[in-house]
Amino acid sequence: MNDIRRTILWVVFAFSLIMLWDQWQVHNGRHATFFPSAPPAATTASAPASAVPQGATPTAAAAAVPGSVSAAHTSPIPGAQTAPSQPSIPRERIEVSTDVLKLAFDTEGGSIIKSEFLKFAAQDHPDQPFVLLDTSANRVYQAQSGLIGGAFPTHKTPMKFVGEKTLSDGANELVLRFESPAQNGISLNKIYTLTRGSYVVGVRHEIVNASAQAIQPQLYVQLVRDGNKPPGESSFYSTFTGPAFYTEAKKFQKVDFEKIDKGSAEFATQSPDGWVAMVQHYFASAWLLPEGASHENFARKVDTNLYAAGMIAPAATVAAGSTQTMDARLFVGPQEEKVLESLAPGLELVKDYGFFTILSKPLYWLLDKLHGVIGNWGWAIVALVFLLKILFYPLNAKAYASMAKMKAINPKLTDLRERYKDKPQQMQAEMMRIYREEKVNPMGGCLPIMIQIPVFIALYWVLLSSVEMRGAPWMLWIKDLSAKDPFFILPIVMTLTTLLQTALNPLPPDPMQAKLMWFMPLVFSVMFFFFPSGLVLYWITNNVLTIAQQWLINTRMGVPPQFNLPKF
């Protein structure tokens, strides 16, 4: 039974940790997989000049100016109607900045077409800020809004910019204003409010009705993005990229681009609450409506490799000669869990822990508290694993005690296998007799370890998903816990500790199983050569403490440590 126990242990450890994670996450929206399917070749998201469905032609835009977004990078306007041509307004690219954000606006519709995070460096260019929203030859990712339900201004309507472009010293807010010309007496003014130190942009929509009739438009807000994976994503693991919706009724719902392509995307289409987001590793964008604002959710394919996800909310009736305002907020920033929790219910779920969220959230809370005391994320990881090992010490003690007893009776079991190899039923009966006489549970070494596996899987997702690891140093040559070890020192140490841990366990009598015991850790370790160094540090710490615990428990039981090597 010792070889059976060992086989079960390795199956749980390797297969559950790798394949089961992978298949579970693929089934639940391609959260994060060890073996992702080959990503599609990066294609330029472009749309023909008439990307708008028939009968929904946008307002004619003024001629593009150098540096402005191409007219091809547009999205259909849900329910928009043909509007009369407008006086020519020069199309401009407006760039504004605060202490944490640099945004680029297009005066066509007053849309945000680029965002740079001044506190976060690009992965491959540490001297440049990280870019999330972007409009270039290879990428399209924009935040848009406008009105539907009539010939109203949309995100294709030319607008005039009014306001400052830089947050002044001592000022807390930067207010920008984009004003559209009247269309049949109806105009839309967008007022963006940027706040010092914040990644949340207030967006007020002023609907001005200078016509002789009352109107009742609808406001749409949407995020338009190509279907490409973020640049620089590892080929050894991937995280979910795509739209996500949240409602109190249906909770967090991820939507695959592939399902949008096939028309099989499932999400709540009507809700009195919630938000829409576009998610990728470490960063996200999200439109947030006021609490209690009923709206319709939508996700649709705009064109080849171009998608839109958003919300449509009805406005109150705007009487002739009056003005109505509709507020929204746009979050464009890093997935900092505490910040997200403060903005909207459920928004922290864009930091996707997958199936183990219920365990990952308290683990992140504890890790954050440890960082607050220690001041270094690397040492906080070490401290957290140490605390978990203390917590699980009673379980580990039982597991290693059971292993030690199994090791003691292993010669008897080996003799039984030889004597009764042609009589499996009698061999099984004799084994059970020995277990009873020696008071040994053959599964006693497996069950305590199996109980701990979900916790350490959850901690894995905490470290993989936390943007705090990005750019965080540990010590010496480890300057970024979210990047692989540049000299592969940590992965080599991890491989050695894994092999040492394997050597301390008794070998099964079957030579093939003994070789497999050594082969599987090597394969598992090779994967970690390209994993973020924070994850490797976590695994090394776990290995070292496991070896120390096993050595201590065996010594207390009078079982001298032995190094068991297979014959190759």
Side-chain angles (χ1 to χ4, degrees):
M1 288 298 291
N2 193 43
D3 55 337
I4 295 176
R5 178 193 59 75
R6 194 169 312 287
T7 300
I8 294 173
L9 178 60
W10 278 111
V11 167
V12 171
F13 180 74
F15 183 80
S16 295
L17 191 60
I18 302 171
M19 300 301 295
L20 186 58
W21 289 4
D22 187 77
Q23 294 305 316
W24 178 269
Q25 301 300 344
V26 168
H27 176 72
N28 285 276
R30 296 182 65 198
H31 161 66
T33 63
F34 279 112
F35 304 115
S37 56
T43 55
T44 302
S46 61
S50 119
V52 181
Q54 184 177 3
T57 306
T59 302
V65 298
S68 66
V69 57
S70 166
H73 298 146
T74 61
S75 61
I77 306 167
Q81 297 182 11
T82 303
S85 59
Q86 298 297 319
S88 176
I89 298 178
R91 188 174 179 184
E92 300 178 76
R93 177 190 177 98
I94 306 297
E95 294 186 350
V96 302
S97 60
T98 67
D99 57 327
V100 297
L101 268 177
K102 182 178 180 181
L103 301 178
F105 293 80
D106 186 2
T107 55
E108 181 179 88
S111 301
I112 303 178
I113 59 174
K114 186 174 183 179
S115 66
E116 299 177 55
F117 302 146
L118 305 182
K119 302 293 185 180
F120 293 86
Q123 194 75 33
D124 299 328
H125 301 281
D127 58 330
Q128 299 177 14
F130 178 81
V131 175
L132 185 64
L133 304 185
D134 196 14
T135 306
S136 62
N138 298 318
R139 292 194 62 206
V140 177
Y141 190 174
Q142 301 178 3
Q144 304 169 343
S145 65
L147 302 177
I148 58 173
F152 303 139
T154 69
H155 69 273
K156 291 297 294 174
T157 302
M159 294 186 173
K160 177 184 177 182
F161 168 73
V162 179
E164 298 296 326
K165 297 183 179 181
T166 305
L167 185 64
S168 304
D169 293 340
N172 193 51
E173 291 185 345
L174 176 63
V175 179
L176 321 172
R177 187 179 180 92
F178 291 87
E179 302 174 344
S180 79
Q183 297 179 193
N184 297 323
I186 311 300
S187 59
L188 173 64
N189 302 323
K190 294 184 182 181
I191 299 95
Y192 292 90
T193 303
L194 285 68
T195 305
R196 181 179 297 276
S198 176
Y199 295 96
V200 179
V201 181
V203 188
R204 169 161 291 187
H205 300 83
E206 284 186 351
I207 307 168
V208 182
N209 183 8
S211 70
Q213 297 180 341
I215 59 171
Q216 192 167 8
Q218 293 174 292
L219 172 70
Y220 70 88
V221 292
Q222 63 182 12
L223 299 164
V224 179
R225 192 192 191 282
D226 59 67
N228 298 332
K229 288 288 185 179
E233 185 169 281
S234 172
S235 58
F236 279 81
Y237 62 88
S238 65
T239 52
F240 175 77
T241 299
F245 295 91
Y246 179 87
T247 65
E248 282 296 327
K250 297 293 185 179
K251 302 304 180 183
F252 185 61
Q253 295 178 292
K254 295 176 290 187
V255 181
D256 282 336
F257 290 129
E258 291 86 350
K259 291 186 177 181
I260 298 177
D261 278 332
K262 298 175 183 178
S264 59
E266 296 182 0
F267 54 91
T269 56
Q270 302 282 342
S271 179
D273 49 51
W275 41 261
V276 60
M278 198 68 76
V279 182
Q280 66 183 61
H281 196 202
Y282 292 140
F283 301 96
S285 61
W287 277 108
L288 314 172
L289 294 177
E291 185 176 352
S294 297
H295 61 271
E296 172 190 344
N297 294 323
F298 67 87
R300 54 171 60 88
K301 183 176 182 179
V302 174
D303 195 58
T304 303
N305 198 39
L306 192 62
Y307 307 87
M311 301 180 289
I312 301 173
T317 300
V318 185
S322 66
T323 300
Q324 176 74 34
T325 62
M326 296 188 70
D327 291 330
R329 290 179 296 164
L330 175 67
F331 170 79
V332 184
Q335 296 171 7
E336 297 173 328
E337 191 166 326
K338 290 185 290 185
V339 173
L340 296 173
E341 288 176 344
S342 68
L343 294 178
L347 189 58
E348 73 278 3
L349 295 176
V350 298
K351 182 182 177 182
D352 190 8
Y353 296 133
F355 183 67
F356 293 97
T357 297
I358 192 171
L359 296 175
S360 295
K361 287 180 71 67
L363 286 174
Y364 171 79
W365 177 86
L366 181 55
L367 180 65
D368 182 62
K369 295 298 182 183
L370 289 171
H371 174 260
V373 175
I374 300 172
N376 180 289
W377 285 107
W379 290 116
I381 292 171
V382 173
L384 178 57
V385 178
F386 184 78
L387 290 178
L388 289 176
K389 280 296 181 182
I390 293 175
L391 175 66
F392 287 121
Y393 181 81
L395 286 176
N396 286 326
K398 290 183 179 179
Y400 295 135
S402 178
M403 288 181 185
K405 291 180 180 179
M406 288 295 297
K407 184 177 180 180
I409 67 172
N410 201 43
K412 295 182 180 180
L413 298 177
T414 302
D415 181 61
L416 281 178
R417 290 190 186 92
E418 289 297 323
R419 280 193 292 157
Y420 298 106
K421 59 183 177 181
D422 297 326
K423 300 177 181 179
Q425 291 183 345
Q426 189 173 353
M427 179 177 65
Q428 189 69 26
E430 288 296 316
M431 283 185 172
M432 296 305 296
R433 178 184 61 80
I434 292 177
Y435 292 148
R436 287 194 300 270
E437 291 177 354
E438 300 292 340
K439 297 181 180 180
V440 174
N441 180 0
M443 295 298 294
C446 293
L447 294 178
I449 294 176
M450 291 177 64
I451 293 172
Q452 301 174 53
I453 285 177
V455 175
F456 285 94
I457 294 176
L459 179 55
Y460 169 91
W461 291 123
V462 168
L463 300 179
L464 181 64
S465 303
S466 296
V467 70
E468 290 85 355
M469 302 298 122
R470 198 176 185 277
W474 178 39
M475 66 175 188
L476 301 177
W477 73 100
I478 301 298
K479 307 298 183 183
D480 184 353
L481 288 169
S482 71
K484 67 181 182 182
D485 185 335
F487 305 114
F488 301 108
I489 296 174
L490 289 182
I492 292 173
V493 173
M494 179 199 154
T495 302
L496 294 176
T497 56
T498 302
L499 293 176
L500 176 59
Q501 187 178 356
T502 304
L504 288 172
N505 292 322
L507 291 173
D510 182 17
M512 183 59 68
Q513 287 189 7
K515 293 177 182 179
L516 185 62
M517 277 182 59
W518 281 78
F519 178 72
M520 291 180 68
L522 286 174
V523 173
F524 189 67
S525 297
V526 167
M527 295 167 52
F528 274 75
F529 270 69
F530 304 95
F531 271 39
S533 55
L535 290 174
V536 184
L537 175 62
Y538 142 65
W539 209 265
I540 290 173
T541 307
N542 185 62
N543 281 355
V544 170
L545 293 177
T546 299
I547 291 169
Q549 280 189 346
Q550 187 173 355
W551 194 294
L552 176 64
I553 293 170
N554 285 345
T555 301
R556 286 182 174 179
M557 294 190 62
V559 180
Q562 296 179 354
F563 296 101
N564 304 291
L565 303 177
K567 295 180 180 180
F568 290 97

